[in-house]
């Protein structure tokens, strides 16, 4: 069974420009790789900027390249952190991150397994993200974080929506019955 939330494209149009990175839990536990998320995100951002060349003395092209690099680095880092933080390591499933370049947008897809008992809470949070005003949620979350110390800031997706005007969607899919394994794929569409 597949459940879709938000702005998730089930039939992603083909593109000739894409990059896929996989993180297998078999060699080093994924949670021990936390410190490498920034390196991976910066690599993806550097790669993507090759498609946005800047010309000397052309401020617009230089600015656009810098903006794309910053946005890709931030979004990729947040997606990797979430995927590694909430991955169900017992599933043995790898985490995958892909970037797809289209003429008008960059599409990020990150897939990871999620513990069955964490799905309801995650889907409730997604429901808030997709039905309430992101600006108001962002301010409320900042105020909430200032009042109490939390394990998770809940600002990553909101920052993507508010600061980068990204469109987000999620797909939940059962890939195995025994043991029950659910994969969640998060899609972020960034207009460029």
């Amino acid at each position: 069974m597949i459940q879709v939330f938000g702005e998730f494209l089930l039939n992603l149009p083909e593109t000739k420009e894409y990059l896929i990175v996989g993180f297998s839990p078999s060699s080093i536990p994924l949670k021990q790789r936390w410190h490498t998320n920034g390196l991976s995100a910066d690599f993806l951002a550097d790669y993507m900027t090759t498609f946005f060349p800047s010309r000397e003395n052309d401020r617009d092209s230089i600015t656009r390249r810098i903006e794309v690099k910053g946005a890709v680095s931030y979004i990729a880092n947040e997606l990797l952190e979430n995927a590694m933080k909430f991955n169900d390591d017992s599933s043995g499933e790898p985490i995958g991150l892909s970037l797809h370049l289209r003429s008008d947008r960059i599409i990020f897809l990150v897939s990871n397994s999620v513990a069955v008992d964490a799905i309801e809470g995650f889907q409730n949070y997604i429901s808030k993200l997709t039905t309430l005003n992101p600006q108001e949620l962002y301010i409320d979350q900042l105020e909430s974080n200032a009042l109490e110390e939390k394990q998770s800031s809940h600002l990553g997706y909101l920052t993507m929506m508010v600061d980068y005007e990204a469109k987000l969607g999620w797909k939940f899919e059962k890939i195995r019955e025994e043991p029950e394994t659910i994969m969640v794929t998060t899609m972020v569409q960034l207009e460029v």
Side-chain angles (χ1 to χ4, degrees):
M1 184 173 108
I2 294 176
Q3 291 180 287
V4 174
F5 301 88
E7 299 194 42
F8 193 96
L9 304 172
L10 281 173
N11 298 312
L12 188 64
E14 283 193 34
T15 177
K16 294 180 180 177
E17 301 294 347
Y18 60 90
L19 180 66
I20 299 173
V21 181
F23 301 90
S24 172
S26 61
S27 55
I28 298 174
L30 292 171
K31 289 180 175 56
Q32 289 181 15
R33 297 186 199 174
W34 187 268
H35 64 282
T36 65
N37 290 339
L39 292 172
S40 299
D42 287 345
F43 166 75
L44 295 168
D46 283 337
Y47 174 80
M48 197 53 67
T49 57
T50 60
F51 300 100
F52 298 88
S54 59
R55 291 175 296 278
E56 195 173 329
N57 299 326
D58 180 357
R59 285 181 177 236
D60 290 343
S61 69
I62 294 169
T63 300
R64 184 170 186 225
R65 185 180 172 99
I66 291 170
E67 289 174 350
V68 167
K69 184 175 181 177
V72 169
S73 179
Y74 178 83
I75 293 169
N77 188 57
E78 286 296 321
L79 291 173
L80 281 172
E81 284 186 0
N82 283 341
M84 295 205 183
K85 189 185 320 179
F86 298 108
N87 187 56
D88 179 6
D89 291 339
S90 67
S91 73
E93 295 295 325
I95 291 173
L97 173 64
S98 63
L99 273 70
H100 303 260
L101 180 62
R102 296 179 55 193
S103 62
D104 62 340
R105 69 192 63 195
I106 299 170
I107 299 175
F108 301 74
L109 290 169
V110 64
S111 297
N112 62 280
S113 60
V114 62
V116 173
D117 61 355
I119 291 173
E120 183 178 350
F122 188 23
Q123 289 181 345
N124 288 338
Y125 181 64
I126 289 170
S127 178
K128 283 175 56 176
L129 288 174
T130 57
T131 57
L132 300 177
N133 181 312
Q135 295 277 356
E136 292 175 10
L137 276 175
Y138 185 79
I139 298 299
D140 290 347
Q141 196 61 51
L142 284 174
E143 291 173 353
S144 174
N145 290 351
L147 294 176
E148 57 187 278
E149 193 171 310
K150 297 180 177 181
Q151 267 189 324
S152 186
S153 73
H154 288 278
L155 290 174
Y157 292 144
L158 286 169
T159 301
M160 292 178 208
M161 296 167 80
V162 172
D163 288 356
Y164 299 104
E165 299 178 359
K167 296 177 183 173
L168 278 67
W170 294 265
K171 178 179 78 172
F172 291 79
E173 182 174 17
K174 183 185 288 189
I175 62 166
R176 193 169 41 237
E177 288 290 336
E178 290 294 331
E180 186 174 14
T181 305
I182 307 293
M183 292 295 288
V184 59
T185 301
T186 303
M187 173 181 281
V188 177
Q189 298 180 62
L190 177 70
E191 288 188 21
V192 290

